[in-house]
Each structure stands twice: as C-alpha cells, then as structure tokens.
PDB file of all heavy atoms in Angstrom:
ATOM      1  N   TYR Q   1     -19.479  35.267-125.078  1.00  0.00           N
ATOM      2  CA  TYR Q   1     -18.766  36.194-124.228  1.00  0.00           C
ATOM      3  C   TYR Q   1     -18.509  35.680-122.881  1.00  0.00           C
ATOM      4  O   TYR Q   1     -17.417  35.911-122.324  1.00  0.00           O
ATOM      5  CB  TYR Q   1     -19.534  37.643-124.046  1.00  0.00           C
ATOM      6  CG  TYR Q   1     -19.318  38.482-125.402  1.00  0.00           C
ATOM      7  CD1 TYR Q   1     -20.541  38.578-126.140  1.00  0.00           C
ATOM      8  CD2 TYR Q   1     -18.189  38.960-125.765  1.00  0.00           C
ATOM      9  CE1 TYR Q   1     -20.545  39.480-127.303  1.00  0.00           C
ATOM     10  CE2 TYR Q   1     -18.217  39.808-126.942  1.00  0.00           C
ATOM     11  CZ  TYR Q   1     -19.161  40.040-127.648  1.00  0.00           C
ATOM     12  OH  TYR Q   1     -19.213  40.710-128.833  1.00  0.00           O
ATOM     13  N   GLY Q   2     -19.409  34.876-122.349  1.00  0.00           N
ATOM     14  CA  GLY Q   2     -19.242  34.365-120.969  1.00  0.00           C
ATOM     15  C   GLY Q   2     -18.096  33.443-120.810  1.00  0.00           C
ATOM     16  O   GLY Q   2     -17.073  33.641-120.011  1.00  0.00           O
ATOM     17  N   PRO Q   3     -18.056  32.310-121.633  1.00  0.00           N
ATOM     18  CA  PRO Q   3     -17.105  31.433-121.494  1.00  0.00           C
ATOM     19  C   PRO Q   3     -15.681  32.089-121.954  1.00  0.00           C
ATOM     20  O   PRO Q   3     -14.558  31.722-121.354  1.00  0.00           O
ATOM     21  CB  PRO Q   3     -17.311  30.456-122.730  1.00  0.00           C
ATOM     22  CG  PRO Q   3     -18.756  30.428-122.614  1.00  0.00           C
ATOM     23  CD  PRO Q   3     -19.266  31.867-122.490  1.00  0.00           C
ATOM     24  N   LEU Q   4     -15.699  33.108-122.821  1.00  0.00           N
ATOM     25  CA  LEU Q   4     -14.452  33.797-123.230  1.00  0.00           C
ATOM     26  C   LEU Q   4     -13.968  34.513-122.084  1.00  0.00           C
ATOM     27  O   LEU Q   4     -12.683  34.447-121.757  1.00  0.00           O
ATOM     28  CB  LEU Q   4     -14.759  34.847-124.396  1.00  0.00           C
ATOM     29  CG  LEU Q   4     -13.609  35.536-124.985  1.00  0.00           C
ATOM     30  CD1 LEU Q   4     -12.687  34.650-125.680  1.00  0.00           C
ATOM     31  CD2 LEU Q   4     -14.099  36.714-125.829  1.00  0.00           C
ATOM     32  N   ILE Q   5     -14.744  35.177-121.195  1.00  0.00           N
ATOM     33  CA  ILE Q   5     -14.282  35.992-120.159  1.00  0.00           C
ATOM     34  C   ILE Q   5     -13.706  35.023-119.024  1.00  0.00           C
ATOM     35  O   ILE Q   5     -12.684  35.286-118.389  1.00  0.00           O
ATOM     36  CB  ILE Q   5     -15.348  36.852-119.508  1.00  0.00           C
ATOM     37  CG1 ILE Q   5     -15.582  38.067-120.614  1.00  0.00           C
ATOM     38  CG2 ILE Q   5     -15.080  37.544-118.133  1.00  0.00           C
ATOM     39  CD1 ILE Q   5     -16.818  38.855-120.321  1.00  0.00           C
ATOM     40  N   GLY Q   6     -14.579  33.892-118.736  1.00  0.00           N
ATOM     41  CA  GLY Q   6     -14.088  33.021-117.744  1.00  0.00           C
ATOM     42  C   GLY Q   6     -12.894  32.336-118.046  1.00  0.00           C
ATOM     43  O   GLY Q   6     -12.044  32.050-117.225  1.00  0.00           O
ATOM     44  N   SER Q   7     -12.488  32.066-119.339  1.00  0.00           N
ATOM     45  CA  SER Q   7     -11.394  31.295-119.704  1.00  0.00           C
ATOM     46  C   SER Q   7     -10.184  32.287-119.619  1.00  0.00           C
ATOM     47  O   SER Q   7      -9.096  31.945-119.178  1.00  0.00           O
ATOM     48  CB  SER Q   7     -11.553  30.923-121.304  1.00  0.00           C
ATOM     49  OG  SER Q   7     -12.537  29.998-121.398  1.00  0.00           O
ATOM     50  N   ALA Q   8     -10.345  33.630-120.093  1.00  0.00           N
ATOM     51  CA  ALA Q   8      -9.308  34.530-119.926  1.00  0.00           C
ATOM     52  C   ALA Q   8      -8.858  34.827-118.646  1.00  0.00           C
ATOM     53  O   ALA Q   8      -7.623  34.880-118.198  1.00  0.00           O
ATOM     54  CB  ALA Q   8      -9.685  35.903-120.661  1.00  0.00           C
ATOM     55  N   SER Q   9      -9.856  34.900-117.660  1.00  0.00           N
ATOM     56  CA  SER Q   9      -9.492  35.262-116.207  1.00  0.00           C
ATOM     57  C   SER Q   9      -8.869  33.930-115.652  1.00  0.00           C
ATOM     58  O   SER Q   9      -7.953  34.073-114.807  1.00  0.00           O
ATOM     59  CB  SER Q   9     -10.729  35.565-115.543  1.00  0.00           C
ATOM     60  OG  SER Q   9     -11.668  34.505-115.464  1.00  0.00           O
ATOM     61  N   ARG Q  10      -9.168  32.806-116.136  1.00  0.00           N
ATOM     62  CA  ARG Q  10      -8.457  31.654-115.640  1.00  0.00           C
ATOM     63  C   ARG Q  10      -7.053  31.460-116.059  1.00  0.00           C
ATOM     64  O   ARG Q  10      -6.090  31.203-115.207  1.00  0.00           O
ATOM     65  CB  ARG Q  10      -9.202  30.334-116.105  1.00  0.00           C
ATOM     66  CG  ARG Q  10      -8.590  29.033-115.559  1.00  0.00           C
ATOM     67  CD  ARG Q  10      -9.406  27.864-115.877  1.00  0.00           C
ATOM     68  NE  ARG Q  10      -8.975  26.655-115.111  1.00  0.00           N
ATOM     69  CZ  ARG Q  10      -9.773  25.523-114.863  1.00  0.00           C
ATOM     70  NH1 ARG Q  10     -10.936  25.432-115.482  1.00  0.00           N
ATOM     71  NH2 ARG Q  10      -9.244  24.510-114.304  1.00  0.00           N
ATOM     72  N   ILE Q  11      -6.756  31.995-117.246  1.00  0.00           N
ATOM     73  CA  ILE Q  11      -5.329  31.969-117.658  1.00  0.00           C
ATOM     74  C   ILE Q  11      -4.552  33.217-116.854  1.00  0.00           C
ATOM     75  O   ILE Q  11      -3.468  32.811-116.377  1.00  0.00           O
ATOM     76  CB  ILE Q  11      -5.307  32.331-119.241  1.00  0.00           C
ATOM     77  CG1 ILE Q  11      -5.819  31.259-119.959  1.00  0.00           C
ATOM     78  CG2 ILE Q  11      -3.891  32.405-119.570  1.00  0.00           C
ATOM     79  CD1 ILE Q  11      -5.978  31.495-121.406  1.00  0.00           C
ATOM     80  N   ALA Q  12      -5.104  34.361-116.789  1.00  0.00           N
ATOM     81  CA  ALA Q  12      -4.539  35.477-116.111  1.00  0.00           C
ATOM     82  C   ALA Q  12      -4.200  35.180-114.700  1.00  0.00           C
ATOM     83  O   ALA Q  12      -3.106  35.450-114.158  1.00  0.00           O
ATOM     84  CB  ALA Q  12      -5.405  36.634-116.224  1.00  0.00           C
ATOM     85  N   PHE Q  13      -5.175  34.561-113.980  1.00  0.00           N
ATOM     86  CA  PHE Q  13      -5.043  34.433-112.587  1.00  0.00           C
ATOM     87  C   PHE Q  13      -4.234  33.058-112.274  1.00  0.00           C
ATOM     88  O   PHE Q  13      -3.977  32.825-111.016  1.00  0.00           O
ATOM     89  CB  PHE Q  13      -6.361  34.424-111.857  1.00  0.00           C
ATOM     90  CG  PHE Q  13      -6.841  35.728-111.752  1.00  0.00           C
ATOM     91  CD1 PHE Q  13      -7.670  36.532-112.640  1.00  0.00           C
ATOM     92  CD2 PHE Q  13      -6.619  36.584-110.537  1.00  0.00           C
ATOM     93  CE1 PHE Q  13      -8.131  37.718-112.589  1.00  0.00           C
ATOM     94  CE2 PHE Q  13      -7.073  37.924-110.372  1.00  0.00           C
ATOM     95  CZ  PHE Q  13      -7.709  38.442-111.447  1.00  0.00           C
ATOM     96  N   GLY Q  14      -3.987  32.240-113.300  1.00  0.00           N
ATOM     97  CA  GLY Q  14      -2.947  31.139-112.997  1.00  0.00           C
ATOM     98  C   GLY Q  14      -1.682  31.659-112.489  1.00  0.00           C
ATOM     99  O   GLY Q  14      -1.027  31.067-111.701  1.00  0.00           O
ATOM    100  N   PHE Q  15      -1.215  32.663-113.117  1.00  0.00           N
ATOM    101  CA  PHE Q  15       0.080  33.336-112.714  1.00  0.00           C
ATOM    102  C   PHE Q  15      -0.049  33.908-111.472  1.00  0.00           C
ATOM    103  O   PHE Q  15       0.943  33.872-110.640  1.00  0.00           O
ATOM    104  CB  PHE Q  15       0.415  34.385-113.784  1.00  0.00           C
ATOM    105  CG  PHE Q  15       0.700  33.817-115.173  1.00  0.00           C
ATOM    106  CD1 PHE Q  15      -0.203  33.754-116.099  1.00  0.00           C
ATOM    107  CD2 PHE Q  15       1.927  33.233-115.594  1.00  0.00           C
ATOM    108  CE1 PHE Q  15      -0.176  33.250-117.352  1.00  0.00           C
ATOM    109  CE2 PHE Q  15       2.134  32.747-116.862  1.00  0.00           C
ATOM    110  CZ  PHE Q  15       1.079  32.755-117.778  1.00  0.00           C
ATOM    111  N   VAL Q  16      -1.199  34.545-111.096  1.00  0.00           N
ATOM    112  CA  VAL Q  16      -1.289  35.207-109.857  1.00  0.00           C
ATOM    113  C   VAL Q  16      -1.354  34.157-108.738  1.00  0.00           C
ATOM    114  O   VAL Q  16      -0.832  34.369-107.672  1.00  0.00           O
ATOM    115  CB  VAL Q  16      -2.725  35.999-109.751  1.00  0.00           C
ATOM    116  CG1 VAL Q  16      -2.987  36.486-108.485  1.00  0.00           C
ATOM    117  CG2 VAL Q  16      -2.616  37.118-110.924  1.00  0.00           C
ATOM    118  N   ALA Q  17      -2.103  32.962-108.976  1.00  0.00           N
ATOM    119  CA  ALA Q  17      -2.178  31.901-108.117  1.00  0.00           C
ATOM    120  C   ALA Q  17      -0.796  31.461-107.530  1.00  0.00           C
ATOM    121  O   ALA Q  17      -0.670  31.018-106.436  1.00  0.00           O
ATOM    122  CB  ALA Q  17      -2.994  30.770-108.522  1.00  0.00           C
ATOM    123  N   ASP Q  18       0.223  31.410-108.610  1.00  0.00           N
ATOM    124  CA  ASP Q  18       1.534  31.015-108.166  1.00  0.00           C
ATOM    125  C   ASP Q  18       2.209  31.898-107.297  1.00  0.00           C
ATOM    126  O   ASP Q  18       3.075  31.553-106.520  1.00  0.00           O
ATOM    127  CB  ASP Q  18       2.382  30.856-109.495  1.00  0.00           C
ATOM    128  CG  ASP Q  18       2.084  29.428-110.125  1.00  0.00           C
ATOM    129  OD1 ASP Q  18       1.714  28.472-109.496  1.00  0.00           O
ATOM    130  OD2 ASP Q  18       2.329  29.309-111.342  1.00  0.00           O
ATOM    131  N   LYS Q  19       1.686  33.184-107.268  1.00  0.00           N
ATOM    132  CA  LYS Q  19       2.369  34.203-106.546  1.00  0.00           C
ATOM    133  C   LYS Q  19       1.732  34.335-105.111  1.00  0.00           C
ATOM    134  O   LYS Q  19       2.422  34.411-104.088  1.00  0.00           O
ATOM    135  CB  LYS Q  19       2.299  35.576-107.256  1.00  0.00           C
ATOM    136  CG  LYS Q  19       3.005  35.604-108.569  1.00  0.00           C
ATOM    137  CD  LYS Q  19       4.528  35.432-108.480  1.00  0.00           C
ATOM    138  CE  LYS Q  19       5.241  35.510-109.722  1.00  0.00           C
ATOM    139  NZ  LYS Q  19       6.672  35.264-109.741  1.00  0.00           N
ATOM    140  N   VAL Q  20       0.450  34.263-105.086  1.00  0.00           N
ATOM    141  CA  VAL Q  20      -0.326  34.648-103.891  1.00  0.00           C
ATOM    142  C   VAL Q  20      -0.988  33.442-103.245  1.00  0.00           C
ATOM    143  O   VAL Q  20      -1.591  33.588-102.116  1.00  0.00           O
ATOM    144  CB  VAL Q  20      -1.315  35.814-104.012  1.00  0.00           C
ATOM    145  CG1 VAL Q  20      -0.815  37.020-104.645  1.00  0.00           C
ATOM    146  CG2 VAL Q  20      -2.479  35.272-105.019  1.00  0.00           C
ATOM    147  N   GLY Q  21      -1.010  32.164-103.998  1.00  0.00           N
ATOM    148  CA  GLY Q  21      -1.755  31.115-103.486  1.00  0.00           C
ATOM    149  C   GLY Q  21      -3.041  31.112-104.157  1.00  0.00           C
ATOM    150  O   GLY Q  21      -3.744  32.129-104.493  1.00  0.00           O
ATOM    151  N   GLY Q  22      -3.608  29.950-104.025  1.00  0.00           N
ATOM    152  CA  GLY Q  22      -5.038  29.669-104.703  1.00  0.00           C
ATOM    153  C   GLY Q  22      -6.239  29.931-103.770  1.00  0.00           C
ATOM    154  O   GLY Q  22      -7.235  30.280-104.286  1.00  0.00           O
ATOM    155  N   ALA Q  23      -5.958  29.784-102.466  1.00  0.00           N
ATOM    156  CA  ALA Q  23      -7.101  29.862-101.573  1.00  0.00           C
ATOM    157  C   ALA Q  23      -7.798  31.091-101.477  1.00  0.00           C
ATOM    158  O   ALA Q  23      -9.029  31.153-101.514  1.00  0.00           O
ATOM    159  CB  ALA Q  23      -6.625  29.441-100.215  1.00  0.00           C
ATOM    160  N   ILE Q  24      -7.032  32.206-101.560  1.00  0.00           N
ATOM    161  CA  ILE Q  24      -7.659  33.597-101.444  1.00  0.00           C
ATOM    162  C   ILE Q  24      -8.383  33.867-102.786  1.00  0.00           C
ATOM    163  O   ILE Q  24      -9.510  34.466-102.709  1.00  0.00           O
ATOM    164  CB  ILE Q  24      -6.463  34.663-101.287  1.00  0.00           C
ATOM    165  CG1 ILE Q  24      -7.171  36.061-101.216  1.00  0.00           C
ATOM    166  CG2 ILE Q  24      -5.488  34.680-102.386  1.00  0.00           C
ATOM    167  CD1 ILE Q  24      -8.089  36.182-100.051  1.00  0.00           C
TER     168      ILE Q  24
END
C-alpha cells in the first residue's frame, strides 16, 4: 500500500507541478 500511494501521488502531482511549480 505504501509504494502504491507514493507512486499514485507522484503521478497526480506531476501535473500539479507543471501548473504551480515544484518548489512549493
């Protein structure tokens, strides 16, 4: 479950990072 959750959030927030930047 741990790696599954960490992997899913990495995919989801890749799109967010393109919008708001990665530093935050």
Side-chain angles (χ1 to χ4, degrees):
Y1 284 111
L4 182 69
I5 290 172
S7 302
S9 62
R10 183 168 192 164
I11 296 172
F13 282 88
F15 298 94
V16 175
D18 276 337
K19 300 296 183 182
V20 304
I24 182 62

